[in-house]
Amino acid sequence: MPDIRDELTGALSDPDPVRRAQIQMLKPLPKRFYTEVSIGPTSGGHAILLDGRPVRTPAKQALEVPTLKAAELLAAEWQTQKETIDPATMPVTRLANTAIDGVARDSRAVFDDILNFAGTDLLCYRASEPEGLVARQSERWDPIISWAAEKHGAHFILVQGIVHQAQPRQAIDAFAEALGAYATPLGLACLHTITTLTGSALLALAFAEKRLSAEETWALAHLDEDWQIEHWGTDEEAFQRRENRWREMQAATATLDALR
């Protein structure tokens, strides 16, 4: 008889949220099959145990993380499942699966993808109008640009409009050196998630170095969107999409914090 945990493979691992939703709709959620969730020490950190048996990733590796705090986040997700197991409520587990099965195999590619975001960073592309938005971007984004230059020697060029402007090689190299401090599989998985959700590698690094809180990072990433909402309003669908992304953001920032 197949292990019921195998039924969770697709829904817990697929990186596409639409595909994850489709997988979950195709068949009923699996029943909760365990009573006790615990954490066990391993040579590489801490593993999640269900009734004493280790949880496996989709690639059949042990679901383990380097710190006890990170393991506690994982254990809490498994413990809070009720009669059924809903992968939609387990973003930290998906993140850990991604780190173990994916990032660990090619961490350089993930590292380089974050650098590519830095080359076209949200904070470097500024509006030319209206005047209020221009002023707000300058007031709230400029301190992060200055922080990157003063602390890391990463001097990024600001651009008006959306026409691509290549950033200086020195700025990217300096940013890469700072990013290297977080170049573990789970650390990169967290930073990559934060970067893609915000559109800014600079904001991701600023959060990692405690220059910004998760809430401040999220607000800065949505400065333009919030300006539009203030003047034109929003709709329920857009609001829900943002709430869903915020939950993913919270999982990534909490996990990165737990690695410290």
Side-chain angles (χ1 to χ4, degrees):
M1 181 177 180
D3 191 327
I4 194 170
R5 283 170 288 193
D6 293 341
E7 298 180 17
L8 297 171
T9 296
L12 282 171
S13 63
D14 199 290
D16 182 355
V18 175
R19 176 60 182 152
R20 287 202 304 267
Q22 291 171 339
I23 291 170
Q24 292 166 37
M25 287 187 293
L26 285 176
K27 54 185 177 181
L29 294 174
K31 299 290 186 182
R32 175 167 170 160
F33 56 88
Y34 54 89
T35 301
E36 181 184 19
V37 180
S38 58
I39 298 170
T42 69
S43 59
H46 304 270
I48 303 304
L49 308 176
L50 305 179
D51 294 336
R53 298 175 61 193
V55 180
R56 298 289 175 181
T57 69
K60 309 303 182 185
Q61 301 187 75
L63 180 60
E64 62 178 57
V65 287
T67 69
L68 179 58
K69 287 184 178 179
E72 288 171 345
L73 292 176
L74 286 168
E77 286 189 342
W78 288 91
Q79 187 61 60
T80 56
Q81 300 305 301
K82 304 302 182 183
E83 292 83 5
T84 59
I85 303 172
D86 184 0
T89 65
M90 306 175 78
V92 178
T93 300
R94 294 198 305 270
L95 192 61
N97 284 343
T98 297
I100 295 166
D101 290 348
V103 180
R105 294 179 180 178
D106 193 1
S107 58
R108 186 69 218 187
V110 179
F111 188 94
D112 288 344
D113 199 43
I114 297 173
L115 289 186
N116 288 337
F117 270 92
T120 58
D121 204 273
L122 169 73
L123 271 57
C124 296
Y125 288 81
R126 304 298 179 87
S128 56
E129 59 180 17
E131 184 178 337
L133 177 58
V134 173
R136 186 177 296 186
Q137 287 179 339
S138 179
E139 175 190 0
R140 301 186 185 178
W141 286 354
D142 283 1
I144 305 303
I145 296 293
S146 298
W147 165 81
E150 293 166 6
K151 181 170 183 181
H152 295 294
H155 298 269
F156 285 85
I157 295 172
L158 304 186
V159 184
Q160 272 197 344
I162 59 173
V163 177
H164 174 66
Q165 168 67 56
Q167 293 293 338
R169 184 71 254 171
Q170 178 273 341
I172 300 301
D173 289 346
F175 183 88
E177 184 175 352
L179 186 62
Y182 308 94
T184 64
L186 190 52
L188 286 175
C190 293
L191 281 171
H192 191 269
T193 297
I194 297 168
T195 299
T196 55
L197 286 171
T198 62
S200 173
L202 281 169
L203 287 178
L205 183 63
F207 170 78
E209 300 200 350
K210 296 191 174 183
R211 172 60 178 78
L212 297 170
S213 68
E215 291 77 12
E216 289 169 334
T217 303
W218 192 246
L220 289 177
H222 291 82
L223 186 150
D224 290 2
E225 183 178 316
D226 287 341
W227 172 271
Q228 295 295 329
I229 290 172
E230 288 173 18
H231 290 79
W232 306 105
T234 187
D235 58 55
E236 181 60 31
E237 185 177 347
F239 174 79
Q240 192 57 56
R241 284 198 303 269
R242 179 159 164 175
E243 285 296 294
N244 291 340
R245 296 198 311 272
W246 171 234
R247 284 192 287 270
E248 297 286 330
M249 176 76 168
Q250 288 176 302
T253 52
T255 303
L256 189 58
D257 272 340
L259 296 178
R260 301 182 195 278

